[in-house]
Amino acid sequence: MGIECTDEIKKRLHQRLAQHSIDPELLDSIVEQAMTVSYPAGAVIFLQGSSAEFLIWLLKGVVKVYCPIEGERILARLAGPGELLGQVNFLNGNGRRQLFEAHAASKCEVAVVSRDCILRIMEKLDKPEIVRLLDALNTMWSEVVFWYVTLLGLSYRTRLEMVLKDLASRFGVREKRGMLIIPELSQLDLAEMIGSSRPMVSRLVKEMTERGELLRYNKKHIISDQAEWLRTDIMSGIFEPPNGKRPSPRLIVSNFAA
């Protein structure tokens, strides 16, 4: 069947696979079996509870990934080209079902491939390749879990900084004033991404603007070079604690007990 995939997207994914010593030919084999589907801005790609028998690979555009909870929803991620959608799922009496839901934030093009097709491709892999693949998946999921758990433990101000840094790393374009975040994000979008109210985000954005850390241009956000938090890395803090000491296992247990 096959799909057209830009060299930039392929390069991005191949580089990520290479970090985990996974053969890029595995990706090419999956791409050859995929079919493309286009969605207009605002369209629903899938809802929570719908069938999850297909993996969806975003080729063009931006997608909002939501987690509905008791009538409300959290904007869990803003997905861009090269990212997978629909991989977070569960099993019930009706088969494999989606845990999240995805809405097209702009005109989008996705590649769709069935899980059965991927399993058939994986059955042809030798044992070392399968081990490397499982190890890579474990690392990727571990990073995602760490990111969200860390986010929940931070103040709203630091959560917003962390989310803006993530958006700048994936959707940012360097311009003379700083990093321009391409997707248009409302204060409600940002509130959903950090789990706060809209008035709270409005206050935080105002504070950042007054400090010269955040600018607005044609409904887009610019993180200025004055924002020192843009140059920090949350992952580096794991290996270099601020005071040079780590809590003992006994202290960690006592913290949970409290």
Side-chain angles (χ1 to χ4, degrees):
M1 189 175 298
I3 62 173
E4 271 193 40
C5 179
T6 65
D7 292 338
E8 180 60 30
I9 294 175
K10 273 193 174 183
K11 180 181 178 182
R12 189 183 310 166
L13 287 175
H14 283 172
Q15 287 175 341
R16 187 163 190 184
L17 292 175
Q19 292 175 356
H20 302 282
S21 301
I22 298 175
D23 189 349
E25 290 185 5
L26 174 61
L27 172 65
D28 295 334
S29 299
I30 294 174
V31 168
E32 290 174 0
Q33 301 299 317
M35 59 179 287
T36 57
V37 181
S38 296
Y39 292 91
V44 175
I45 299 175
F46 58 79
L47 293 173
Q48 186 181 62
S50 59
S51 175
E53 294 306 320
F54 293 88
L55 280 178
I56 301 172
W57 179 27
L58 183 57
L59 299 178
K60 298 177 183 177
V62 179
V63 170
K64 292 181 178 180
V65 181
Y66 290 105
C67 181
I69 301 176
E70 297 182 353
E72 298 183 357
R73 64 185 187 183
I74 296 173
L75 181 52
R77 187 165 181 79
L78 203 65
E83 296 191 51
L84 277 177
L85 306 171
Q87 75 275 27
V88 183
N89 54 79
F90 69 102
L91 285 169
N92 63 13
N94 295 318
R96 195 179 297 275
R97 298 288 157 178
Q98 297 287 358
L99 278 173
F100 290 177
E101 61 185 46
H103 298 247
S106 66
K107 184 178 179 181
C108 295
E109 187 173 304
V110 302
V112 181
V113 60
S114 71
R115 292 180 180 274
D116 287 341
C117 176
I118 293 176
L119 289 175
R120 286 195 299 270
I121 293 172
M122 291 181 62
E123 286 172 355
K124 299 177 182 179
L125 301 178
D126 56 29
K127 289 183 180 180
E129 286 179 310
I130 293 176
V131 170
R132 284 195 294 270
L133 179 60
L134 291 175
D135 182 61
L137 292 174
N138 178 68
T139 300
M140 292 175 190
W141 276 112
S142 297
E143 290 175 354
V144 170
V145 171
F146 176 81
W147 198 89
Y148 282 111
V149 171
T150 301
L151 186 71
L152 291 174
L154 300 173
S155 66
Y156 288 131
R157 161 82 190 204
T158 311
R159 289 186 196 184
L160 184 56
E161 292 174 358
M162 191 169 167
V163 165
L164 288 172
K165 281 190 292 186
D166 175 62
L167 293 172
S169 68
R170 295 185 296 117
F171 300 101
V173 175
R174 168 59 63 179
E175 59 115 68
K176 62 181 180 181
R177 289 166 293 181
M179 292 296 293
L180 171 68
I181 299 175
I182 297 300
E184 294 181 5
L185 294 169
S186 67
Q187 291 188 353
L188 179 58
D189 290 329
L190 294 174
E192 289 179 332
M193 295 183 82
I194 68 171
S196 78
S197 64
R198 184 174 177 179
M200 171 61 74
V201 165
S202 178
R203 181 172 68 81
L204 293 174
V205 169
K206 182 180 178 182
E207 289 177 359
M208 289 180 173
T209 302
E210 291 174 347
R211 294 182 183 183
E213 298 173 334
L214 201 61
L215 309 170
R216 290 281 282 176
Y217 175 74
N218 288 345
K219 298 183 179 180
K220 299 180 188 295
H221 292 88
I222 300 174
I223 306 176
S224 79
D225 292 330
Q226 295 183 42
E228 293 184 5
W229 44 266
L230 182 62
R231 295 181 287 278
T232 61
D233 182 4
I234 188 67
M235 296 298 286
S236 63
I238 311 172
F239 309 105
E240 297 295 338
N243 59 4
K245 297 181 179 180
R246 297 188 181 279
S248 65
R250 181 176 298 177
L251 178 59
I252 292 173
V253 172
S254 65
N255 286 341
F256 275 103

